[in-house]
Amino acid sequence: DTGVSQDPRHKITKRGQNVTFRCDPISEHNRLYWYRQTLGQGPEFLTYFQNEAQLEKSRLLSDRFSAERPKGSFSTLEIQRTEQGDSAMYLCASSLLRETGELFFGEGSRLTVL
Amino acid sequence: GESVGLHLPTLSVQEGDNSIINCAYSNSASDYFIWYKQESGKGPQFIIDIRSNMDKRQGQRVTVLLNKTVKHLSLQIAATQPGDSAVYFCAENIISFNKFYFGSGTKLNVKP
């Protein structure tokens, strides 16, 4: 399978713990995005990378959230001191560096904070 | 700020009928408008996009219409099948910002 891969698919944690999600984009894709989705809502933009550079972060991304994309390949999204409001699906998407409307999404990592 | 929304949260259609899902947007500067399909437990899947300088684009069984005068986007699905049951999101993209903004979704139920 050469699509976008996310790990873990499900994570249950206690409030105050740190969690990390990993995304492996399609190999030739330069751009990588993180979105958050809650039940019944559309994905909300969090941040995106072009190669290894993080070009933009949403104001939704508090200082408890950090994302990296070392060497422009896989990316990690870490949430420190999790809160119940962090419970959501975290989606990763990738795309080529060209003008297009198409993002390729992974299956998502569902976070439940107890 | 940008705003993408949908008129109907749930749409039920009979198998074989045509479906029309509507979306309103507010940002005239968007370059692309896109439709995504999301099945339960899966990530969104690209269906079709349309550039802002077009008013119609057709794919396989799907047609997207863009009316910039009233800032309205629609997705037409011909001969709807049970496999079309999903939540459909419209999204918009401004190339220079390189961010995609999604609406809240319409759930399509296809009755056999």
Side-chain angles (χ1 to χ4, degrees), chain A residues 9 31 33 35 37 40-45 48 50 56 89 91 99-108, chain B residues 32-34 36 38 41-46 49 51 89 93 95-105:
Chain A
R9 292 292 311 279
R31 289 180 174 158
Y33 301 78
Y35 281 81
Q37 185 177 31
Q41 300 298 312
E44 296 175 294
F45 172 82
Y48 93 94
Q50 186 164 301
E56 187 155 355
M89 176 75 83
L91 292 164
E99 295 178 1
T100 178
E102 186 167 8
L103 291 177
F104 294 81
F105 280 89
E107 304 280 73
Chain B
Y32 276 96
F33 299 89
I34 314 107
Y36 283 86
Q38 188 172 28
K42 296 186 176 181
Q45 179 183 12
F46 173 87
D49 64 1
R51 196 160 177 139
F89 295 99
N93 172 242
I95 292 173
S96 58
F97 293 164
N98 198 35
K99 291 187 292 187
F100 292 74
Y101 295 92
F102 287 79
S104 57

Side-chain angles (χ1 to χ4, degrees), chain A:
Chain A
D1 188 343
T2 57
V4 177
S5 177
Q6 292 189 244
D7 183 71
R9 292 292 311 279
H10 304 276
K11 178 71 177 179
I12 300 173
T13 191
K14 293 182 179 179
R15 188 176 54 188
Q17 299 295 305
N18 299 342
V19 296
T20 300
F21 300 115
R22 176 181 170 121
C23 172
D24 287 273
I26 295 172
S27 60
E28 64 268 27
H29 285 186
N30 311 87
R31 289 180 174 158
L32 185 147
Y33 301 78
W34 285 99
Y35 281 81
R36 180 172 69 188
Q37 185 177 31
T38 53
L39 193 63
Q41 300 298 312
E44 296 175 294
F45 172 82
L46 292 179
T47 188
Y48 93 94
F49 294 82
Q50 186 164 301
N51 300 313
E52 67 274 11
Q54 187 174 18
L55 296 187
E56 187 155 355
K57 295 194 297 184
S58 165
R59 59 182 180 274
L60 293 175
L61 214 64
S62 76
D63 55 8
R64 296 185 298 106
F65 288 70
S66 62
E68 295 181 341
R69 193 184 182 195
K71 302 177 183 178
S73 55
F74 71 91
S75 175
T76 58
L77 176 69
E78 182 183 15
I79 309 174
Q80 296 182 327
R81 305 181 302 281
T82 52
E83 301 173 356
Q84 288 186 324
D86 297 331
S87 295
M89 176 75 83
Y90 291 85
L91 292 164
C92 176
S94 68
S95 72
L96 288 166
L97 189 68
R98 68 176 185 215
E99 295 178 1
T100 178
E102 186 167 8
L103 291 177
F104 294 81
F105 280 89
E107 304 280 73
S109 293
R110 180 168 295 284
L111 173 65
T112 301
V113 182
L114 302 176

